[in-house]
Each structure stands twice: as C-alpha cells, then as structure tokens.
Amino acid sequence: MTAETATTATDRTPAESTANPLVAATAAGHHRILTGDRPTGPLHLGHYFGTLRNRVELQSRGLELMIVIPDYQAITDRDRADRPAEHAEELVLDYLAAGVDPERATIFTHSAVPALNQLLLPFLSLVSVAELSRNPTVKDEIAHSRQSTVSGLMFTYPVHQAADILFCKADLVPVGQDQLPHLEVTRTIARRFNDRYTTLFPEPQALLSRAPLLLGTDGGKMSKSRGNAVTLGATADETARLLRGAVTDPDRHITYDPEHRPGVSNLLLLTALCQDRDPHAVAAEIGNGGAALLKRTATEAVNEHFRPLRARRAELAADRTVLREVLHAGNARANAVADRTLTEVRAAMGTF
Ligand code: TRP
C-alpha cells in the first residue's frame, strides 16, 4: 500500500471510461480508489445504487479502496455537526453491511489525519477566488443551506476535497454527478502543483455509475436531510410506509417515461435496479395496475433485495467496538500515507 504505486490515469482514454467505467477501471495496472460520504446521516438507496455498489464491485476486482468520512464537510452548511462520531460509525456499518472488506479497505475520518488537512494550505494557493465562487454544486448548497451567512469553508471545501483525493494519490473517484465540479477542482490542483513544483499527483478521474439518478419520494433530490429517502438500514415496514407516500400521478396505465412521469418512473427504476431488470419491462408487467400496485411492487423489490444486507447490518450493529476498531485502523493507515505525501510536498516546495 505505498503511495508510490499509484499510477496516473493517462493509460485510459476518456471514451473507454464513459463506455464502461468498471471495465475500463480494471483494465490496466494498479488503481487506487478514493471516495467518501459526509457523516450527516445513514446512507440511502440513492447512495447504494449511485456509488456504494460500485465500490464493493471494484474492491472485489482487487482495486485498492480508500473511503474518507469527511467530518469537516459536515460543518459547511450548518453551525455544528450533529453527533459526527456516531454518524461515522453508522457509515462504517453501512459500508460493511454492503460488502466493503475492512481488512483491505482504508476507512478514515478527516479530523484524524493532520497531514491531509495541512495540504489544504498549499492547495488553496493554486486556485482563484473566481474559480471557487463559480462551483455549481457549492452554489446549490448555499441555496439550500440552513445558515443565514455563508462561511469560508463553504467556498473552500472543494479544495479540501482535493486534499482527500490527492493525499493518497488516488486516480479513480466513484461519485455521483453533483461531485463532478469538485473533481475538476482536484484535477486543476494536481496539474498546477505538478507544473509549479514537481510532478507528484495523478489527475484523478471520476467514475460515474451507469445507474440513472434516483429521486426522493417527494420527487426532489434524494437527500439524508429532506426525509424523502429509504435508508439502507430501514425496516421492511418503514420502507413500505415511505414508498406508499411517494409522489405518483393519476394515470392508472403505468409507463416508464422519466421526463413526463418522474414519480412513476422513479419507482419503476428503483424496482428495476433491485431486480436487475429493465424499467420498461417492470412497467409492462404492472400495466393498468395503477400506482397502488406499482408501490407494492417497488416495496417488495426493495425489501427482497436488501434483506441480506439489512440482516448483516443488524448483526454488525450489535457490537459497536468493531466499528470503532475499523476506524482506528483506517485512521492509522491514512496517517502513514498522508505523512509520506506531506514529506514529498515539503521537498517539492522547498519548505521544512
Ligand atoms: N463531497 C462529498 C459529498 O458531499 C463527500 C466527499 C468528501 C468526497 N471528500 C470526498 C467524495 C472525496 C469523493 C471524494 O458526498
């Protein structure tokens, strides 16, 4: 697990990776994957089909997996993080239940890796204020923020995210669409650092899931904080209740038409993802059954698909010390990598 073994992403063409990211990712050489989830609540089905499933798949193909739990990102849009350590443990629970192997993966928190955080300072010097204020994801988060003022961290966290990715010289980052602007910031920083000092960092590539985006049950963006998401750990009854309340439309004939029938199509997509089928085929099967049958079908599909994961999750939840041990071991490994990179950065910049 040395930082030096990470390769640059130049051995793959962009066309290859868009055609089939997983195949392209595993095609050539050693790759280090880094991704993460804010410790602000449990993961939901959108996370699962958007990135979590990909991570497990990539790990099972032998790629090295790093997962950051970015606790400093939890204070970008709220005054205080609500029980960040507890949420971090819940995330570990979700990861392990989904099949991440903690022996091979490095799961760590921002706040426990000082050398990673120190990279923020030189990295901030590599981007302009104009670039930071153009970031569309940051703009959207400001629009939905619970604060009356916008903090400096809100504007600069994408640079910190670059440190998350570059401290371990990760070259592949499985993320959702909303993270692409941050990936661009990371690539810019890597390129400028390499140009200005010494070539140290690969320019990482995003690995977008091929699964289309799932919406929340209210038709908006699925989100931990908007109460519109089925969590991985939800019970079968909670799942049924949430999906019963999902927004649909009055047309009893069920068709897959994401543009004109977003609510209905979202439930079809969810069913299709759980059953590894085509959403049109699910729609044809329901036919004139209406929204009620559609919701029952989706509920059964979700509860069936997630039953083993949820059983594993409940088993693991019985012993919190295991979760803490996974984080301690991950933090120790991340610190060793970050210290090594910071030493290289100091040498490249000519500082102490
Ligand atoms: N910004 C990501 C989110 O909101 C979380 C994150 C932090 C992340 N650091 C990362 C994702 C590094 C990928 C790589 O979900």
Side-chain angles (χ1 to χ4, degrees), residues 78-223:
R78 62 199 85 200
D79 293 342
R80 298 182 48 126
D82 170 47
R83 295 168 291 135
E86 208 175 299
H87 282 311
E89 287 171 23
E90 288 291 310
L91 287 176
V92 174
L93 200 48
D94 284 333
Y95 299 148
L96 302 191
V100 170
D101 174 1
E103 295 294 322
R104 288 186 293 139
T106 301
I107 307 175
F108 65 99
T109 52
H110 260 163
S111 57
V113 189
L116 181 163
N117 294 305
Q118 189 171 330
L119 293 177
L120 177 63
L121 295 172
F123 286 2
L124 278 171
S125 75
L126 298 168
V127 287
S128 71
V129 171
E131 285 169 321
L132 292 177
S133 37
R134 271 202 294 273
N135 187 305
T137 298
V138 170
K139 283 189 187 166
D140 185 61
E141 283 168 352
I142 290 172
H144 289 97
S145 161
R146 323 157 178 216
Q147 294 176 307
S148 50
T149 57
V150 180
S151 74
L153 185 62
M154 179 58 107
F155 277 106
T156 51
Y157 87 78
V159 181
H160 198 198
Q161 184 157 333
D164 297 343
I165 298 167
L166 297 179
F167 92 97
C168 62
K169 303 184 182 177
D171 63 337
L172 296 173
V173 186
V175 283
Q177 195 83 32
D178 64 324
Q179 298 295 305
L180 293 183
H182 302 345
L183 244 292
E184 264 330 294
V185 172
T186 304
R187 294 165 60 84
T188 300
I189 287 172
R191 205 164 45 239
R192 289 183 188 161
F193 187 97
N194 293 344
D195 285 349
R196 200 167 294 183
Y197 302 105
T198 307
T199 301
L200 277 189
F201 299 112
E203 270 184 58
Q205 297 210 340
L207 274 184
L208 276 179
S209 154
R210 272 172 304 158
L213 202 66
L214 280 170
L215 302 175
T217 50
D218 57 0
K221 179 183 168 184
M222 192 182 276
S223 152

